[in-house]
Amino acid sequence: MAELEKTEPEVDHDEEDNPNYKPPAPKALDEIVQADAEDESLRKYKETLIGAGLQGQRIVDESNPNKVIIQKLSLLAEGRDEISIDLTLPKEEIKKQCFTLKEGCKYQIKIYFFVQRDIVSGLRYEHKVYRKGIQVDKMKQMMGSYGPKPDLQSFTTQQEDAPSGLLMRGEYKIKSVFVDDDQNKYEAWEWHLDVKKDW
């Protein structure tokens, strides 16, 4: 299981939407590559997931044992340039970062990451939103399975509406986490949104 620093925020996991779902048993990358080698369509699918060649492990950062390395989180708001938080900073620095959103605007979250060493099955982005210490919202997005690649990969969440109205303006604390089907927790961090009347 991926290790986390003790200072990282706890994100409680609700029961899955389908409690009867059992993820497949994990397999080594070489085992996946060699299975059903005679099936041409399956071989092409594996190449799409893992990349051409399908041989050897792809390692982006030798010193990092995790399969998923998160780089940055960006906010995509209508009519605005993309703004980002560098998630390679220390957790205490990330906590100080705050995005500003105009109330009622439509926005998405985009996460940039590397996958190394092995395939990650059923990667999910989850977060819980708190206002004045009370949970007011949550998000759970299935991202899919990713193969190890030297290229930076990304995922964009579905479009959301920012809170609106006088009582909904103000600062929101968000606790985010990356997990997979095997309940490996790759990264967790805390950040903030400030909802204002205007930009």
Side-chain angles (χ1 to χ4, degrees):
M1 181 176 268
E3 292 291 327
L4 286 178
E5 297 174 15
K6 290 180 182 174
T7 57
E8 294 184 356
E10 289 295 321
V11 178
D12 299 325
H13 295 285
D14 300 322
E15 290 185 21
E16 295 297 321
D17 297 331
N18 182 357
N20 297 321
Y21 171 71
K22 301 287 184 221
K27 289 186 177 181
L29 183 58
D30 289 342
E31 188 180 350
I32 293 169
V33 169
Q34 292 170 19
D36 304 310
E38 68 285 351
D39 187 327
E40 182 68 16
S41 62
L42 191 55
R43 185 188 63 77
K44 287 181 178 178
Y45 170 72
K46 289 177 191 177
E47 282 190 7
T48 302
L49 182 63
I50 305 169
L54 303 175
Q55 297 299 318
Q57 295 180 333
R58 290 176 169 79
I59 298 177
V60 175
D61 182 354
E62 193 73 53
S63 66
N64 192 325
N66 286 345
K67 291 192 283 185
V68 179
I69 305 172
I70 315 301
Q71 294 295 294
K72 68 178 179 177
L73 178 143
S74 294
L75 204 63
L76 311 175
E78 281 185 327
R80 308 293 286 184
D81 291 335
E82 179 175 334
I83 52 174
S84 302
I85 293 175
D86 181 355
L87 295 177
T88 64
L89 293 171
K91 298 294 180 273
E92 290 305 312
E93 287 297 312
I94 296 170
K95 254 189 206 184
K96 296 175 186 174
Q97 304 293 317
C98 187
F99 289 127
T100 298
L101 273 182
K102 179 182 177 181
E103 63 176 349
C105 76
K106 296 189 180 301
Y107 72 97
Q108 293 170 286
I109 295 168
K110 187 171 185 178
I111 303 143
Y112 296 86
F113 58 96
F114 289 106
V115 174
Q116 65 173 7
R117 303 183 187 278
D118 209 342
I119 290 173
V120 178
S121 298
L123 190 61
R124 293 195 309 276
Y125 169 74
E126 301 176 9
H127 77 213
K128 293 187 176 181
V129 182
Y130 298 84
R131 176 92 191 275
K132 298 179 180 177
I134 299 169
Q135 184 181 321
V136 294
D137 196 11
K138 65 181 177 180
M139 174 192 285
K140 185 183 289 187
Q141 291 261 298
M142 177 56 76
M143 298 168 58
S145 298
Y146 293 83
K149 294 179 183 177
D151 307 321
L152 189 64
Q153 302 188 60
S154 66
F155 175 80
T156 305
T157 65
Q158 64 191 18
Q159 197 170 67
E160 300 280 326
D161 292 319
S164 62
L166 179 62
L167 297 177
M168 302 304 289
R169 292 177 204 150
E171 193 167 300
Y172 293 79
K173 178 169 69 175
I174 302 171
K175 294 182 178 181
S176 296
V177 67
F178 260 108
V179 293
D180 68 13
D181 272 349
D182 300 318
Q183 295 306 309
N184 292 316
K185 190 188 291 185
Y186 293 108
E187 194 68 79
W189 68 95
E190 183 180 304
W191 52 289
H192 295 85
L193 273 178
D194 194 5
V195 176
K196 295 187 174 182
K197 187 175 182 179
D198 212 334
W199 299 106

